[in-house]
Amino acid sequence: MKSHARVVVIGGGVVGCSVLYHLTKFGWTEVVLVERSELTSGSTWHAAGGMHTINGDPNVAKLQKYTVELYKEIQDYSGQDIGLHMTSGMMLASNKDRFDWMKSILAKGRYMGLDAHLLTPKEAHDLMPLLDPDQFVGAVFDPVEGHLDPYGTTHAYAKSAKRNGAEIYLHTKVEDLVQREDGSWRIITDKGEIVAEHVVNCGGLWAREIGRMVGLELPVLAMEHMYLITEDMPEVIEFNRTHGKELMHCVDFDGEIYLRQERNGMLMGTYEKACRPWSPLTTPWDFGHELLEEDIARITPELEVGFRHFPAFNRAGIRKIINGPFTFSPDGNPLVGPVRGMTNFWSACAVMAGFSQGGGVGLALANWMIDGDPGFDVFAMDVARYGDYATLAYTNAKVRENYSRRFSIRYPNEELPAGRPLQTTPIYDRLKAAGAVFGASYGLEQPLWFAPDGVEDRFSWRRSTDFETVGAEARAVREGVGLMETSGFAKYAVRGRGAGAWLDRLLACRLPETGRMTLAPMLKDDGKLIGDFTLAKLGEGDFLLIGSGIAEDYHMRWFETHLPRDGSVTLEALNLSLVGLAIAGPKARDVLAKLTHRDVSTEAFPFMAVRRMDLGMAPAIVGRVSYTGDLGYEIWMKPQYQRYLYDLILEAGAEFGIRLFGLRALNALRLEKSYGSWSREYRPLYGPVEAGLERFVAVGKAADFIGREAARAERETGGALRLRTFVVAAKDADVIGDEPIYLDGAVRGWVTSGGYAHGAGLSVAVGYVPKEIADVETGWSIELLGEMLPARLQAEPLFDPSGARMRG
């Protein structure tokens, strides 16, 4: 066994072998994989081996498409047969809501070039005669689906990596991980010790235990998962004989089952409501090529639906039942990337759909390790999307919920209840008493809207029970004044003698003067947006940075990676040690004036000014800025003052008709200003010119900020895309994101976000289109729930296009 290596990959499942292969494919040598038993031990060997490209997140779908396309390459390169069966497949809907969801998924595939299409129940039956067409309302056909041999595929990755120079040590158990002073890692095994520059945790069922070796509690849990294999079925044999091909892969969402052909019979798997975690506290190291006790009674409700939807199963004998553990994260997506606060410790685990995603995960992680960037927008898979709130108990609750709902519809306005409430602010009870309907974001309860007595969210793809109330909240802001809690934003204190110089290097904007704020894009080396913030200078060497709450760990990882090592800068994620309220609307200044003796006139307190001031008896930081695009103020305070200030503001605003508003009204208001948001309009896919943020990028400033040359090049070439706003001729539903944008009947772009702009009384979509057509005035349409809706390019904001109101 080597004593030194560049990389040690821990875990010999499909993901570990994919990571190993991709590192060697891109030229890294001295790469080693260690596996405590045999390759495929753990979850891989008993996987059903299904694969598909369609995914609700288009960025994940791209990686799945790559994975499927990779299989021929590794089979040819390794000489290992992977048992590839490209059968095609379909997703089935037994009700209208499910069919609406499928239409939205199908639409996302259009701008990705996926060749999927809708089927009637009869057409579905013609392709898959085992199903009863009377049980369904429609289906989506996907030609790029199938299954493979898990053992052969994993060994194809491994053999390809070994051909490129990698080494694999089997029956070698990692017992501890210790980082040395120079940043390298001691990988201590039962066969000896390897010193490596990088460690990759591909431990699968044991990923949690490997994380604990370095003091990390990964949000991952194994669940028991069952599928059955039938005896030979005459219907299958006859179809194969008459058609000369296998039956296709099917997902019956409402039955919560999936099925495919297995030899002359069928395989049927379930995601049952009565789900069961496996070994929730620790994973035994001696577990290996073994299965769990079958418990067919637990999946009986799902099987009954499956047998009704596919009647031939009633006549089939069951040859085998497989029950084995698979790992899941709280949202079902993988945990990939560098772990914050650690040098060269990488995660590639919780990859439940290993044969759909394993290749893409290996590609992204290898890119990240070699080039410092995954090469894709992988935030949906990034291990940094979870903070320290994702404890063992939280993970258990959310994984169980996710597993039991894996084939359930998640409506755009649906908030899932497990693991909640967890984090709350001091005014949570006050907001709840006022009718707040909460959503959870990054573990924090945040008001979405304020429901009148007796009114609840009715989950739907279309406008629902919140529509009129959200409209009233938005109009109250535009016509008078509204109050909103803003504690969900991420807040960072940056202090020290080197704070200004560091921020000047980190951010693309010009730094503000003391008492001023600015919008602050943050770029990667390639000039793409990795963050957008509001930067406030409170004093010399004293800055407050405000950003997206869901990206706190993601951004802290970036910040900490680039911090100077001389101690000249201190950085703190304030989280709930600083909480917030915001007032907005034409009467907002009148309300603020009643709270302070300070002059808050436009002359004394202009747009983008920031002050420390007492409001009533409470010290606060007040910035004159508002994401509503209206006259407004953000107010930040320590948590012990929030209840007091909440009551004080409501009392001061009573004479002006102040009204509470939530995140749904805020979305409606920002759409009227064509304001973008992080993770939708602003993400690592886009440059500042493309995103319309070029005026905040100071390519001419003295500081050589990260991404400067790439930003200058984008300014010269103009980039490839443009962010544009459209008014949509919507009926009873509004876009939510990822719908295709058409020009003259051809797909030319995609929606990033949208909704109904209540102040303007119009349905709005924001999205990207190629720059060459970005200013074409006519011929636009947007596909929504299977219907083509005319759209009008909106060249200027619907509200206050000159910005006079927010600056006045």
Side-chain angles (χ1 to χ4, degrees):
M1 187 169 71
K2 284 178 178 291
S3 61
H4 289 77
R6 190 171 196 176
V7 182
V8 170
V9 177
I10 303 173
V14 65
V15 175
C17 291
S18 172
V19 170
L20 191 74
Y21 167 64
H22 282 91
L23 287 170
T24 61
K25 179 181 178 180
F26 299 148
W28 273 22
T29 57
E30 301 296 311
V31 179
V32 167
L33 183 147
V34 293
E35 162 58 44
R36 63 178 190 94
S37 182
E38 299 284 347
L39 296 184
T40 76
S41 296
S43 296
T44 298
W45 74 274
H46 59 75
M51 58 182 176
H52 56 274
T53 55
I54 291 177
N55 188 283
D57 185 321
N59 296 292
V60 175
K62 290 175 186 175
L63 292 177
Q64 293 184 183
K65 185 172 185 285
Y66 167 82
T67 300
V68 175
E69 292 171 347
L70 179 66
Y71 285 134
K72 186 176 186 305
E73 173 185 318
I74 63 168
Q75 180 170 264
D76 291 346
Y77 190 63
S78 67
Q80 170 73 51
D81 181 17
I82 68 171
L84 186 62
H85 299 254
M86 296 304 297
T87 62
S88 71
M90 67 173 72
M91 301 188 300
L92 293 153
S94 65
N95 60 65
K96 185 176 180 296
D97 275 358
R98 174 65 68 187
F99 204 35
D100 280 345
W101 175 80
M102 287 184 181
K103 291 173 185 175
S104 73
I105 296 295
L106 181 63
K108 292 176 185 181
R110 296 206 199 283
Y111 60 80
M112 294 175 55
L114 300 182
D115 185 25
H117 57 269
L118 294 176
L119 299 173
T120 66
K122 181 183 181 305
E123 289 170 332
H125 176 262
D126 290 343
L127 292 172
M128 176 50 160
L130 298 190
L131 66 83
D132 178 0
D134 293 337
Q135 301 292 325
F136 301 100
V137 299
V140 168
F141 173 80
D142 178 12
V144 189
E145 287 194 28
H147 61 275
L148 40 66
D149 170 25
Y151 178 92
T153 303
T154 304
H155 279 266
Y157 278 124
K159 288 181 178 179
S160 297
K162 290 173 74 173
R163 182 175 173 182
N164 291 339
E167 295 189 28
I168 296 175
Y169 304 134
L170 303 179
H171 301 285
T172 304
K173 177 176 172 286
V174 175
E175 296 185 329
D176 201 5
L177 298 169
V178 179
Q179 191 157 37
R180 307 197 309 180
E181 287 187 8
D182 65 358
S184 63
W185 289 91
R186 294 172 57 210
I187 296 90
I188 301 167
T189 81
D190 60 356
K191 299 290 179 61
E193 183 175 314
I194 308 174
V195 175
E197 182 181 347
H198 299 266
V199 175
V200 187
N201 180 1
C202 299
L205 292 174
W206 295 269
R208 186 176 50 186
E209 277 62 36
I210 292 166
R212 288 170 179 167
M213 293 178 184
V214 297
L216 175 68
E217 188 67 40
L218 284 166
V220 59
L221 176 69
M223 300 293 292
E224 294 189 16
H225 180 69
M226 273 184 283
Y227 61 85
L228 61 86
I229 298 172
T230 73
E231 302 283 1
D232 290 356
M233 296 174 63
E235 297 88 349
V236 174
I237 296 169
E238 177 63 16
F239 181 90
N240 297 162
R241 186 187 66 79
T242 57
H243 292 80
K245 61 181 180 180
E246 289 182 84
L247 285 163
M248 66 173 57
H249 183 276
C250 286
V251 176
D252 176 4
F253 286 98
D254 300 293
E256 295 169 313
I257 58 173
Y258 61 89
L259 63 156
R260 66 165 176 83
Q261 185 171 335
E262 175 69 12
R263 298 185 180 178
N264 289 327
M266 294 294 292
L267 178 152
M268 178 183 285
T270 74
Y271 284 93
E272 67 279 3
K273 297 296 184 188
C275 58
R276 178 183 295 165
W278 177 75
S279 198
L281 299 180
T282 59
T283 303
W285 286 102
D286 59 357
F287 184 81
H289 276 82
E290 55 199 278
L291 293 171
L292 306 177
E293 183 178 353
E294 63 187 56
D295 183 8
I296 198 166
R298 201 173 77 243
I299 64 174
T300 296
E302 287 74 26
L303 293 181
E304 287 176 348
V305 177
F307 284 28
R308 185 171 70 250
H309 287 185
F310 298 86
F313 277 84
N314 290 291
R315 300 183 292 274
I318 297 176
R319 181 163 61 90
K320 184 186 296 186
I321 296 175
I322 305 294
N323 185 21
F326 287 87
T327 55
F328 293 77
S329 71
D331 63 7
N333 278 345
L335 300 171
V336 179
V339 175
R340 177 191 160 196
M342 297 184 185
T343 303
N344 293 339
F345 187 85
W346 303 82
S347 175
C349 60
V351 189
M352 182 278 304
F355 294 97
S356 289
Q357 299 174 347
V361 167
L363 172 68
L365 195 69
N367 285 339
W368 219 332
M369 295 174 71
I370 295 168
D371 301 326
D373 187 271
F376 303 86
D377 185 349
V378 296
F379 185 75
M381 294 185 177
D382 198 320
V383 65
R385 71 187 184 275
Y386 290 105
D388 60 7
Y389 66 91
T391 60
L392 190 68
Y394 172 90
T395 298
N396 191 304
K398 295 304 287 186
V399 167
R400 293 175 72 166
E401 177 184 64
N402 177 272
Y403 183 97
S404 69
R405 292 179 50 91
R406 180 160 177 78
F407 285 166
S408 299
I409 298 172
R410 174 74 183 271
Y411 292 96
N413 63 332
E414 184 177 8
E415 299 297 321
L416 303 182
R420 299 176 54 200
L422 179 57
Q423 296 185 67
T424 59
T425 64
I427 61 171
Y428 172 78
D429 59 332
R430 302 284 178 92
L431 297 171
K432 190 172 183 179
V437 177
F438 291 94
S441 180
Y442 204 67
L444 177 66
E445 298 293 315
Q446 299 185 66
L448 302 175
W449 62 293
F450 291 83
D453 287 344
V455 179
E456 297 180 352
D457 254 335
R458 185 175 66 238
F459 305 141
S460 175
W461 287 101
R462 301 170 193 275
R463 294 171 189 162
S464 190
T465 46
D466 66 330
F467 185 77
E468 293 300 331
T469 301
V470 171
E473 292 175 15
R475 288 187 292 272
V477 173
R478 288 288 184 245
E479 296 166 6
V481 61
L483 170 64
M484 177 184 178
E485 185 180 35
T486 58
S487 302
F489 286 101
K491 293 84 58 180
Y492 312 92
V494 185
R495 301 187 180 97
R497 57 183 170 80
W502 180 67
L503 287 168
D504 216 11
R505 161 79 176 149
L506 193 75
L507 303 175
C509 63
R510 294 189 187 279
L511 298 192
E513 299 295 326
T514 298
R516 299 291 297 168
M517 308 169 71
T518 189
L519 296 183
M522 185 167 71
L523 309 181
K524 299 187 297 168
D525 292 297
D526 63 2
K528 302 299 185 183
L529 290 161
I530 197 172
D532 74 301
F533 304 91
T534 301
L535 175 65
K537 187 175 183 182
L538 302 176
E540 201 57 41
D542 186 6
F543 295 86
L544 178 65
L545 199 61
I546 309 294
S548 169
I550 63 171
E552 183 177 293
D553 254 43
Y554 175 80
H555 285 139
M556 281 295 289
R557 183 177 63 193
W558 182 263
F559 296 156
E560 289 168 350
T561 299
H562 293 88
L563 270 178
R565 306 304 176 198
D566 60 3
S568 63
V569 180
T570 62
L571 169 68
E572 181 184 4
L574 298 172
N575 203 273
L576 293 182
S577 66
L578 191 71
V579 294
L581 297 167
I583 52 175
K587 298 295 184 182
R589 182 184 290 113
D590 298 310
V591 174
L592 184 64
K594 293 181 67 174
L595 307 179
T596 179
H597 64 278
R598 301 280 292 272
D599 184 356
V600 294
S601 65
T602 297
E603 294 73 26
F605 196 21
F607 179 60
M608 298 302 281
V610 62
R611 304 280 188 274
R612 295 186 188 274
M613 63 174 70
D614 294 344
L615 300 181
M617 297 183 290
I621 299 169
V622 182
R624 196 184 145 184
V625 65
S626 176
Y627 195 43
T628 66
D630 215 317
L631 172 64
Y633 305 86
E634 292 182 352
I635 303 167
W636 304 100
M637 72 289 299
K638 293 179 180 178
Q640 58 264 39
Y641 298 115
Q642 192 189 33
R643 290 173 71 90
Y644 167 79
L645 281 172
Y646 173 80
D647 292 340
L648 190 70
I649 293 169
L650 285 179
E651 181 182 350
E655 68 173 286
F656 306 108
I658 194 168
R659 178 165 182 162
L660 296 170
F661 69 103
L663 290 174
R664 291 181 184 169
L666 181 65
N667 184 62
L669 295 165
R670 67 99 182 172
L671 289 172
E672 293 180 338
K673 289 291 289 181
S674 297
Y675 285 169
S677 62
W678 174 253
S679 86
R680 302 303 304 179
E681 287 72 40
Y682 309 144
R683 58 195 308 169
L685 294 168
Y686 312 120
V689 172
E690 294 175 323
L693 297 178
E694 69 273 16
R695 66 189 184 280
F696 302 111
V697 176
V699 293
K701 71 176 182 177
D704 185 18
F705 62 88
I706 297 170
R708 178 180 186 170
E709 291 310 310
R712 180 178 281 122
E714 188 205 20
R715 188 165 291 189
E716 291 172 358
T717 65
L721 304 170
R722 288 294 182 273
L723 186 63
R724 289 292 183 261
T725 300
F726 299 87
V727 173
V728 185
K731 298 171 184 176
D732 62 346
D734 304 289
V735 301
I736 57 174
D738 296 323
E739 296 86 357
I741 301 172
Y742 294 76
L743 179 63
D744 296 329
V747 177
R748 301 303 304 274
W750 56 90
V751 173
T752 49
S753 66
Y756 194 80
H758 290 273
L762 295 168
S763 188
V764 173
V766 181
Y768 282 93
V769 297
K771 67 178 180 181
E772 293 81 9
I773 61 170
D775 297 316
V776 174
E777 295 183 359
T778 60
W780 298 100
S781 57
I782 292 175
E783 183 179 357
L784 178 60
L785 299 178
E787 187 175 359
M788 297 297 294
L789 301 176
R792 183 186 79 239
L793 185 69
Q794 185 64 33
E796 62 180 17
L798 290 164
F799 172 76
D800 191 25
S802 69
R805 191 139 118 184
M806 66 180 181
R807 290 183 172 84

